[in-house]
Amino acid sequence: MVENATENAKVIYLFFRNKGWTAQAISGLLGNMQGESGIIADKDELGGGGGYGLVQWTPKSNLVNWANSNGLNYRTVETQCKRIQWELENGKQFYATTAYPLNFRQFTQSTQSPTYLASVFIHNYERPANPDQPQRGIWAEEWFNLLSDTTEKPLDPKRNFGVKISYFLENEVLEKLTEFRSAFPQYSACLEYAGNQKYSIVIQPFTYLEVNAKKMEIQGKFPHWTMAVAELVDFSTRKALLIAPFKGVEVGEAFLKIKKRFGFSMTINPSPYGDAGRVDYSKELNKNSIVVSPFSSGEALDKLNEFKKAFPSYAANTFLEQRLENAEQYHLVIQPFAPVEVKDALNEINGRFSSWMKNIQAFHNVGDPKAILISPFTGSEVTEKYLLVKKEFGYSMEIVDA
Protein backbone atom coordinates (compact mmCIF):
# COMPACT_ATOMS: atom_id res chain seq x y z
CA MET A 1 0.00 0.00 0.00
CA VAL A 2 1.37 3.39 -1.04
CA GLU A 3 1.53 5.86 1.84
CA ASN A 4 -0.12 9.27 1.60
CA ALA A 5 1.61 12.08 3.48
CA THR A 6 -1.58 14.04 4.19
CA GLU A 7 -3.41 11.01 5.54
CA ASN A 8 -0.37 10.14 7.64
CA ALA A 9 -0.29 13.69 9.00
CA LYS A 10 -3.92 13.41 10.11
CA VAL A 11 -3.19 10.15 11.93
CA ILE A 12 -0.12 11.68 13.59
CA TYR A 13 -2.05 14.79 14.58
CA LEU A 14 -4.89 12.85 16.20
CA PHE A 15 -2.49 10.46 17.95
CA PHE A 16 -0.58 13.22 19.70
CA ARG A 17 -3.64 15.39 20.39
CA ASN A 18 -5.07 12.45 22.30
CA LYS A 19 -1.77 12.29 24.22
CA GLY A 20 -2.22 15.91 25.29
CA TRP A 21 0.18 17.66 22.89
CA THR A 22 -0.74 21.14 21.69
CA ALA A 23 -1.70 21.73 18.05
CA GLN A 24 1.34 24.01 17.70
CA ALA A 25 3.77 21.36 18.96
CA ILE A 26 2.37 18.69 16.65
CA SER A 27 2.59 21.09 13.71
CA GLY A 28 6.24 21.79 14.56
CA LEU A 29 6.81 18.03 14.63
CA LEU A 30 5.07 17.60 11.25
CA GLY A 31 7.16 20.35 9.69
CA ASN A 32 10.26 18.38 10.68
CA MET A 33 8.81 15.07 9.53
CA GLN A 34 8.15 16.62 6.14
CA GLY A 35 11.79 17.68 5.94
CA GLU A 36 13.06 14.31 7.15
CA SER A 37 10.84 11.80 5.36
CA GLY A 38 8.07 13.60 3.51
CA ILE A 39 5.86 12.19 6.35
CA ILE A 40 6.29 8.68 4.97
CA ALA A 41 6.84 6.08 7.68
CA ASP A 42 8.42 3.27 5.62
CA LYS A 43 11.25 5.33 4.17
CA ASP A 44 15.01 4.89 4.30
CA GLU A 45 17.34 7.88 4.23
CA LEU A 46 18.19 9.05 0.75
CA GLY A 47 21.85 8.56 -0.10
CA GLY A 48 22.23 5.63 2.29
CA GLY A 49 22.91 7.61 5.47
CA GLY A 50 21.34 4.98 7.70
CA GLY A 51 18.28 6.91 8.82
CA TYR A 52 14.75 5.54 8.65
CA GLY A 53 11.15 6.48 9.28
CA LEU A 54 9.11 9.62 9.93
CA VAL A 55 11.91 11.36 11.88
CA GLN A 56 14.74 9.33 10.31
CA TRP A 57 15.96 7.41 13.35
CA THR A 58 19.70 6.87 13.01
CA PRO A 59 20.70 4.13 13.12
CA LYS A 60 17.53 2.45 11.89
CA SER A 61 18.01 -0.27 14.50
CA ASN A 62 17.04 2.19 17.28
CA LEU A 63 13.49 1.98 16.01
CA VAL A 64 13.48 -1.58 14.68
CA ASN A 65 14.85 -3.20 17.85
CA TRP A 66 12.46 -1.25 20.07
CA ALA A 67 9.45 -2.14 17.91
CA ASN A 68 10.40 -5.81 17.74
CA SER A 69 10.87 -6.00 21.51
CA ASN A 70 7.35 -4.59 21.95
CA GLY A 71 5.70 -6.80 19.35
CA LEU A 72 5.09 -3.90 16.95
CA ASN A 73 5.51 -3.43 13.20
CA TYR A 74 8.22 -0.80 12.88
CA ARG A 75 7.04 0.25 9.41
CA THR A 76 3.72 1.75 10.52
CA VAL A 77 2.83 5.33 11.42
CA GLU A 78 1.20 4.19 14.68
CA THR A 79 4.31 2.35 15.87
CA GLN A 80 6.55 5.30 15.08
CA CYS A 81 4.22 7.67 16.93
CA LYS A 82 4.33 5.32 19.92
CA ARG A 83 8.14 5.36 19.75
CA ILE A 84 8.18 9.19 19.88
CA GLN A 85 5.78 9.17 22.83
CA TRP A 86 7.98 6.57 24.54
CA GLU A 87 11.01 8.83 24.01
CA LEU A 88 9.09 11.68 25.65
CA GLU A 89 8.07 9.57 28.65
CA ASN A 90 11.56 8.11 29.11
CA GLY A 91 13.71 11.19 28.53
CA LYS A 92 15.26 10.04 25.27
CA GLN A 93 16.52 11.82 22.14
CA PHE A 94 15.21 15.34 22.87
CA TYR A 95 17.62 17.57 24.83
CA ALA A 96 17.22 21.26 25.67
CA THR A 97 19.82 23.60 24.17
CA THR A 98 21.01 27.08 25.10
CA ALA A 99 19.32 28.57 22.06
CA TYR A 100 16.09 26.62 22.62
CA PRO A 101 15.85 25.80 26.35
CA LEU A 102 12.66 23.73 26.21
CA ASN A 103 12.75 20.12 27.37
CA PHE A 104 10.60 17.53 25.59
CA ARG A 105 7.64 17.85 27.95
CA GLN A 106 7.68 21.63 27.69
CA PHE A 107 7.82 21.37 23.90
CA THR A 108 4.68 19.21 23.80
CA GLN A 109 2.78 21.73 25.95
CA SER A 110 3.99 24.92 24.24
CA THR A 111 1.55 27.24 22.49
CA GLN A 112 4.27 29.26 20.81
CA SER A 113 4.15 29.49 17.03
CA PRO A 114 4.54 26.37 14.86
CA THR A 115 7.49 28.12 13.19
CA TYR A 116 9.32 28.52 16.48
CA LEU A 117 8.50 25.00 17.62
CA ALA A 118 9.76 23.58 14.33
CA SER A 119 13.11 25.24 15.13
CA VAL A 120 13.02 23.84 18.67
CA PHE A 121 12.49 20.34 17.35
CA ILE A 122 15.24 20.43 14.74
CA HIS A 123 17.76 21.81 17.25
CA ASN A 124 16.78 19.69 20.26
CA TYR A 125 15.66 16.43 18.65
CA GLU A 126 16.91 16.05 15.06
CA ARG A 127 20.22 17.89 15.54
CA PRO A 128 21.44 17.79 11.87
CA ALA A 129 24.76 19.23 10.79
CA ASN A 130 22.89 22.25 9.39
CA PRO A 131 19.89 23.10 11.61
CA ASP A 132 19.22 26.35 9.76
CA GLN A 133 16.25 25.08 7.73
CA PRO A 134 13.48 27.72 7.82
CA GLN A 135 11.39 25.78 5.33
CA ARG A 136 10.41 23.42 8.14
CA GLY A 137 8.78 26.33 9.94
CA ILE A 138 6.82 27.20 6.80
CA TRP A 139 5.62 23.62 6.52
CA ALA A 140 4.70 23.63 10.22
CA GLU A 141 2.48 26.68 9.74
CA GLU A 142 0.83 25.04 6.74
CA TRP A 143 0.06 21.88 8.71
CA PHE A 144 -1.29 23.96 11.57
CA ASN A 145 -3.64 25.84 9.27
CA LEU A 146 -4.76 22.64 7.58
CA LEU A 147 -5.24 20.38 10.59
CA SER A 148 -6.01 22.42 13.69
CA ASP A 149 -9.47 23.46 12.48
CA THR A 150 -10.45 20.21 10.80
CA THR A 151 -9.11 17.40 12.96
CA GLU A 152 -8.88 18.86 16.46
CA LYS A 153 -11.89 16.93 17.71
CA PRO A 154 -12.32 14.35 20.46
CA LEU A 155 -12.81 10.78 19.37
CA ASP A 156 -16.45 10.15 18.51
CA PRO A 157 -18.01 7.98 21.24
CA LYS A 158 -20.55 6.69 18.74
CA ARG A 159 -17.78 5.07 16.74
CA ASN A 160 -15.05 4.43 19.29
CA PHE A 161 -15.08 2.53 22.56
CA GLY A 162 -12.82 1.22 25.27
CA VAL A 163 -12.35 -1.83 27.41
CA LYS A 164 -12.60 -1.17 31.13
CA ILE A 165 -11.11 -3.60 33.68
CA SER A 166 -12.56 -3.13 37.17
CA TYR A 167 -11.83 -2.91 40.05
CA PHE A 168 -8.43 -2.95 41.67
CA LEU A 169 -7.45 -1.63 45.08
CA GLU A 170 -4.99 1.22 45.50
CA ASN A 171 -2.24 -1.03 46.82
CA GLU A 172 -2.36 -3.35 43.80
CA VAL A 173 -3.44 -1.35 40.77
CA LEU A 174 0.01 -0.11 39.70
CA GLU A 175 1.25 -3.70 39.67
CA LYS A 176 -1.79 -4.76 37.62
CA LEU A 177 -1.24 -1.94 35.14
CA THR A 178 2.38 -3.00 34.70
CA GLU A 179 1.25 -6.58 34.21
CA PHE A 180 -1.22 -5.52 31.54
CA ARG A 181 1.30 -3.36 29.68
CA SER A 182 3.81 -6.19 29.67
CA ALA A 183 1.24 -8.50 28.09
CA PHE A 184 -0.18 -5.94 25.63
CA PRO A 185 2.43 -3.23 24.90
CA GLN A 186 0.63 -2.39 21.65
CA TYR A 187 -2.40 -0.94 23.50
CA SER A 188 -2.75 2.39 25.27
CA ALA A 189 -3.76 1.77 28.89
CA CYS A 190 -4.30 4.20 31.76
CA LEU A 191 -6.01 4.39 35.14
CA GLU A 192 -9.36 5.85 36.18
CA TYR A 193 -10.39 6.44 39.79
CA ALA A 194 -13.70 4.71 40.54
CA GLY A 195 -14.20 5.90 44.14
CA ASN A 196 -13.75 4.18 47.50
CA GLN A 197 -10.02 3.63 46.89
CA LYS A 198 -10.76 1.52 43.80
CA TYR A 199 -9.43 1.93 40.27
CA SER A 200 -10.13 0.74 36.74
CA ILE A 201 -7.69 0.09 33.92
CA VAL A 202 -8.98 1.76 30.76
CA ILE A 203 -7.81 0.62 27.32
CA GLN A 204 -8.93 2.80 24.41
CA PRO A 205 -9.74 3.69 21.69
CA PHE A 206 -11.14 0.83 19.64
CA THR A 207 -13.66 1.09 16.83
CA TYR A 208 -17.07 -0.44 17.40
CA LEU A 209 -16.15 -3.10 14.85
CA GLU A 210 -13.11 -4.33 16.81
CA VAL A 211 -13.78 -3.61 20.48
CA ASN A 212 -15.49 -6.92 21.31
CA ALA A 213 -12.67 -8.91 19.72
CA LYS A 214 -10.13 -6.84 21.68
CA LYS A 215 -12.02 -7.52 24.92
CA MET A 216 -11.98 -11.26 24.18
CA GLU A 217 -8.25 -11.10 23.44
CA ILE A 218 -7.54 -9.38 26.75
CA GLN A 219 -9.91 -11.68 28.65
CA GLY A 220 -8.07 -14.68 27.24
CA LYS A 221 -4.85 -13.48 28.86
CA PHE A 222 -6.49 -12.39 32.13
CA PRO A 223 -9.50 -14.67 32.59
CA HIS A 224 -9.97 -13.79 36.27
CA TRP A 225 -10.19 -10.03 35.70
CA THR A 226 -13.63 -8.43 35.37
CA MET A 227 -13.91 -6.38 32.20
CA ALA A 228 -16.51 -4.85 29.93
CA VAL A 229 -16.87 -2.78 26.78
CA ALA A 230 -17.37 0.86 27.81
CA GLU A 231 -17.92 4.30 26.36
CA LEU A 232 -14.80 6.36 25.80
CA VAL A 233 -13.50 8.10 28.91
CA ASP A 234 -12.84 11.79 28.29
CA PHE A 235 -9.27 12.45 29.39
CA SER A 236 -8.96 15.80 27.60
CA THR A 237 -8.86 18.04 30.71
CA ARG A 238 -5.38 18.97 31.88
CA LYS A 239 -4.71 17.97 35.48
CA ALA A 240 -2.31 18.65 38.35
CA LEU A 241 -1.37 17.12 41.69
CA LEU A 242 -1.83 19.29 44.78
CA ILE A 243 0.08 18.26 47.90
CA ALA A 244 -0.77 20.25 51.02
CA PRO A 245 -0.42 21.46 53.65
CA PHE A 246 3.29 21.62 54.38
CA LYS A 247 4.92 23.60 57.14
CA GLY A 248 7.18 26.35 55.87
CA VAL A 249 10.23 24.61 57.35
CA GLU A 250 9.54 21.35 55.48
CA VAL A 251 8.23 22.34 52.07
CA GLY A 252 11.61 23.10 50.44
CA GLU A 253 13.08 19.73 51.34
CA ALA A 254 9.91 17.87 50.30
CA PHE A 255 9.81 19.76 46.98
CA LEU A 256 13.39 18.84 46.12
CA LYS A 257 12.95 15.19 47.08
CA ILE A 258 9.95 14.84 44.75
CA LYS A 259 11.74 16.69 41.97
CA LYS A 260 14.86 14.56 42.37
CA ARG A 261 12.84 11.34 42.27
CA PHE A 262 10.46 12.14 39.40
CA GLY A 263 11.69 15.27 37.58
CA PHE A 264 8.22 16.79 37.43
CA SER A 265 7.43 20.42 36.67
CA MET A 266 6.53 21.83 40.09
CA THR A 267 5.93 25.03 42.04
CA ILE A 268 5.67 25.98 45.72
CA ASN A 269 2.47 27.92 46.43
CA PRO A 270 0.44 29.13 49.42
CA SER A 271 -1.72 26.34 50.82
CA PRO A 272 -5.38 26.53 49.72
CA TYR A 273 -6.50 25.03 53.05
CA GLY A 274 -6.56 28.15 55.19
CA ASP A 275 -4.78 27.95 58.54
CA ALA A 276 -4.29 24.19 58.50
CA GLY A 277 -0.60 23.61 59.15
CA ARG A 278 0.11 27.20 60.26
CA VAL A 279 2.84 27.64 62.90
CA ASP A 280 2.87 30.62 65.29
CA TYR A 281 6.38 32.06 65.51
CA SER A 282 5.36 35.31 67.20
CA LYS A 283 7.57 34.60 70.23
CA GLU A 284 10.63 34.10 68.02
CA LEU A 285 10.46 37.25 65.87
CA ASN A 286 13.05 39.13 67.96
CA LYS A 287 15.65 36.43 67.32
CA ASN A 288 18.10 35.86 64.47
CA SER A 289 18.83 33.41 61.71
CA ILE A 290 22.04 32.28 60.10
CA VAL A 291 21.50 32.01 56.36
CA VAL A 292 23.82 29.98 54.14
CA SER A 293 23.36 30.49 50.41
CA PRO A 294 22.92 30.17 47.60
CA PHE A 295 22.78 26.50 46.63
CA SER A 296 21.38 25.20 43.35
CA SER A 297 18.36 22.90 43.35
CA GLY A 298 20.64 20.06 42.32
CA GLU A 299 22.93 20.37 45.34
CA ALA A 300 20.74 21.82 48.09
CA LEU A 301 19.59 18.49 49.55
CA ASP A 302 23.17 17.23 49.80
CA LYS A 303 24.25 20.44 51.49
CA LEU A 304 21.40 20.19 53.97
CA ASN A 305 22.31 16.61 54.87
CA GLU A 306 26.00 17.52 55.10
CA PHE A 307 25.23 20.33 57.51
CA LYS A 308 22.92 18.23 59.69
CA LYS A 309 25.56 15.53 59.96
CA ALA A 310 28.20 18.06 61.00
CA PHE A 311 25.90 19.87 63.45
CA PRO A 312 23.29 17.43 64.81
CA SER A 313 22.43 19.87 67.59
CA TYR A 314 21.12 22.32 64.97
CA ALA A 315 19.49 19.72 62.71
CA ALA A 316 15.93 20.04 64.02
CA ASN A 317 15.95 23.79 63.38
CA THR A 318 17.64 23.79 59.97
CA PHE A 319 15.66 23.92 56.74
CA LEU A 320 15.77 24.83 53.05
CA GLU A 321 13.98 27.90 51.78
CA GLN A 322 13.45 28.61 48.08
CA ARG A 323 14.84 32.01 47.07
CA LEU A 324 12.29 34.57 45.93
CA GLU A 325 14.75 35.91 43.37
CA ASN A 326 15.48 32.55 41.77
CA ALA A 327 13.31 29.45 42.24
CA GLU A 328 16.24 27.24 41.22
CA GLN A 329 18.28 28.31 44.25
CA TYR A 330 17.86 27.70 47.98
CA HIS A 331 18.92 29.19 51.29
CA LEU A 332 20.01 26.95 54.14
CA VAL A 333 18.41 28.58 57.21
CA ILE A 334 19.42 27.82 60.81
CA GLN A 335 17.30 29.43 63.55
CA PRO A 336 16.39 30.69 66.12
CA PHE A 337 19.37 32.29 67.83
CA ALA A 338 19.24 34.93 70.53
CA PRO A 339 21.13 38.09 69.49
CA VAL A 340 23.78 37.42 72.14
CA GLU A 341 24.59 33.94 70.80
CA VAL A 342 24.24 34.26 67.04
CA LYS A 343 27.80 35.47 66.38
CA ASP A 344 29.33 32.57 68.31
CA ALA A 345 27.14 30.17 66.34
CA LEU A 346 28.21 31.80 63.08
CA ASN A 347 31.87 31.42 64.03
CA GLU A 348 31.30 27.77 64.93
CA ILE A 349 29.64 27.04 61.57
CA ASN A 350 32.26 29.03 59.69
CA GLY A 351 34.97 26.89 61.25
CA ARG A 352 33.46 23.79 59.63
CA PHE A 353 32.21 25.29 56.33
CA SER A 354 34.51 28.20 55.65
CA SER A 355 33.83 28.25 51.89
CA TRP A 356 30.07 28.63 52.23
CA MET A 357 28.55 32.11 52.07
CA LYS A 358 26.93 32.96 55.40
CA ASN A 359 25.31 35.95 57.02
CA ILE A 360 23.17 36.86 60.02
CA GLN A 361 19.61 37.88 59.26
CA ALA A 362 16.39 38.60 61.09
CA PHE A 363 14.30 35.59 62.01
CA HIS A 364 12.63 33.99 58.95
CA ASN A 365 8.92 33.80 59.72
CA VAL A 366 7.92 30.70 57.76
CA GLY A 367 4.70 30.05 59.65
CA ASP A 368 2.36 30.23 56.65
CA PRO A 369 1.39 26.76 55.34
CA LYS A 370 2.49 25.85 51.83
CA ALA A 371 1.49 23.58 48.97
CA ILE A 372 3.33 21.84 46.17
CA LEU A 373 1.62 21.90 42.76
CA ILE A 374 2.82 19.36 40.22
CA SER A 375 1.60 19.99 36.68
CA PRO A 376 0.60 19.67 33.98
CA PHE A 377 -0.47 16.12 33.31
CA THR A 378 -2.82 14.74 30.72
CA GLY A 379 -6.03 13.31 32.10
CA SER A 380 -4.90 9.87 31.01
CA GLU A 381 -1.66 9.95 33.05
CA VAL A 382 -2.49 11.91 36.20
CA THR A 383 -3.99 9.05 38.22
CA GLU A 384 -0.93 6.90 37.66
CA LYS A 385 1.36 9.79 38.66
CA TYR A 386 -0.76 10.36 41.77
CA LEU A 387 -0.31 6.76 42.85
CA LEU A 388 3.42 6.74 42.12
CA VAL A 389 4.02 9.83 44.26
CA LYS A 390 1.77 8.54 47.03
CA LYS A 391 3.51 5.16 47.03
CA GLU A 392 6.95 6.80 47.21
CA PHE A 393 6.26 9.51 49.78
CA GLY A 394 2.86 8.85 51.39
CA TYR A 395 1.72 12.48 51.15
CA SER A 396 -1.88 13.61 51.35
CA MET A 397 -2.74 14.72 47.81
CA GLU A 398 -5.59 15.49 45.48
CA ILE A 399 -6.01 15.72 41.73
CA VAL A 400 -7.10 19.18 40.56
CA ASP A 401 -7.58 20.93 37.24
CA ALA A 402 -4.32 22.38 35.91
Side-chain angles (χ1 to χ4, degrees), residues 256-382:
L256 289 173
K257 285 180 176 179
I258 298 171
K259 192 174 185 66
K260 181 179 181 180
R261 174 64 181 84
F262 293 106
F264 294 143
S265 176
M266 304 160 49
T267 56
I268 296 175
N269 302 321
S271 172
Y273 301 130
D275 286 337
R278 185 178 301 279
V279 178
D280 183 7
Y281 287 117
S282 59
K283 295 181 179 179
E284 309 286 352
L285 296 181
N286 63 339
K287 296 184 179 180
N288 293 113
S289 299
I290 295 174
V291 178
V292 186
S293 66
F295 297 121
S296 70
S297 58
E299 65 180 347
L301 280 175
D302 290 339
K303 299 300 185 183
L304 175 65
N305 292 331
E306 186 179 356
F307 180 86
K308 287 183 174 181
K309 184 177 180 180
F311 292 101
S313 60
Y314 295 148
N317 297 307
T318 302
F319 60 94
L320 293 173
E321 185 177 29
Q322 193 177 67
R323 293 187 68 200
L324 294 176
E325 304 89 344
N326 185 345
E328 291 299 316
Q329 293 184 336
Y330 290 79
H331 301 294
L332 184 65
V333 182
I334 310 103
Q335 63 181 36
F337 294 102
V340 297
E341 65 181 359
V342 68
K343 289 184 179 179
D344 289 339
L346 178 64
N347 290 333
E348 180 186 13
I349 295 169
N350 195 50
R352 177 62 179 81
F353 298 107
S354 59
S355 63
W356 291 3
M357 294 176 57
K358 297 170 287 293
N359 61 84
I360 296 172
Q361 295 184 8
F363 182 86
H364 284 217
N365 189 353
V366 289
D368 292 341
K370 297 294 184 180
I372 294 174
L373 187 69
I374 310 174
S375 69
F377 295 111
T378 64
S380 60
E381 67 181 350
V382 68

Side-chain angles (χ1 to χ4, degrees), residues 373-392:
L373 187 69
I374 310 174
S375 69
F377 295 111
T378 64
S380 60
E381 67 181 350
V382 68
T383 301
E384 183 177 355
K385 303 301 185 186
Y386 168 94
L387 291 171
L388 288 169
V389 174
K390 189 172 184 179
K391 181 180 179 180
E392 184 78 15

Side-chain angles (χ1 to χ4, degrees), residues 4-131:
N4 179 284
T6 299
E7 293 304 313
N8 283 353
K10 291 179 180 178
V11 171
I12 293 162
Y13 187 91
L14 284 173
F15 178 94
F16 288 109
R17 282 300 285 158
N18 283 305
K19 294 295 184 182
W21 292 37
T22 66
Q24 293 89 336
I26 302 168
S27 299
L29 170 67
L30 286 169
N32 277 276
M33 287 181 172
Q34 186 162 348
E36 293 290 327
S37 63
I39 318 185
I40 301 300
D42 190 15
K43 185 171 184 177
D44 290 295
E45 184 175 353
L46 296 176
Y52 177 83
L54 292 169
V55 292
Q56 293 290 287
W57 282 275
T58 305
K60 180 178 180 178
S61 58
N62 286 348
L63 170 66
V64 174
N65 293 343
W66 177 86
N68 289 341
S69 68
N70 287 284
L72 303 174
N73 180 355
Y74 71 88
R75 294 182 174 88
T76 68
V77 172
E78 182 181 10
T79 290
Q80 294 183 25
C81 287
K82 288 180 177 179
R83 167 68 189 196
I84 293 170
Q85 185 69 19
W86 178 87
E87 290 170 342
L88 164 64
E89 294 169 356
N90 290 274
K92 305 293 185 181
Q93 186 60 33
F94 190 111
Y95 304 106
T97 57
T98 301
Y100 296 93
L102 296 184
N103 61 34
F104 208 164
R105 181 72 63 182
Q106 290 168 333
F107 169 84
T108 69
Q109 302 307 303
S110 177
T111 56
Q112 297 193 65
S113 72
T115 298
Y116 175 79
L117 293 175
S119 293
V120 173
F121 195 87
I122 194 173
H123 282 82
N124 295 2
Y125 183 99
E126 296 290 357
R127 300 189 295 279
N130 176 22

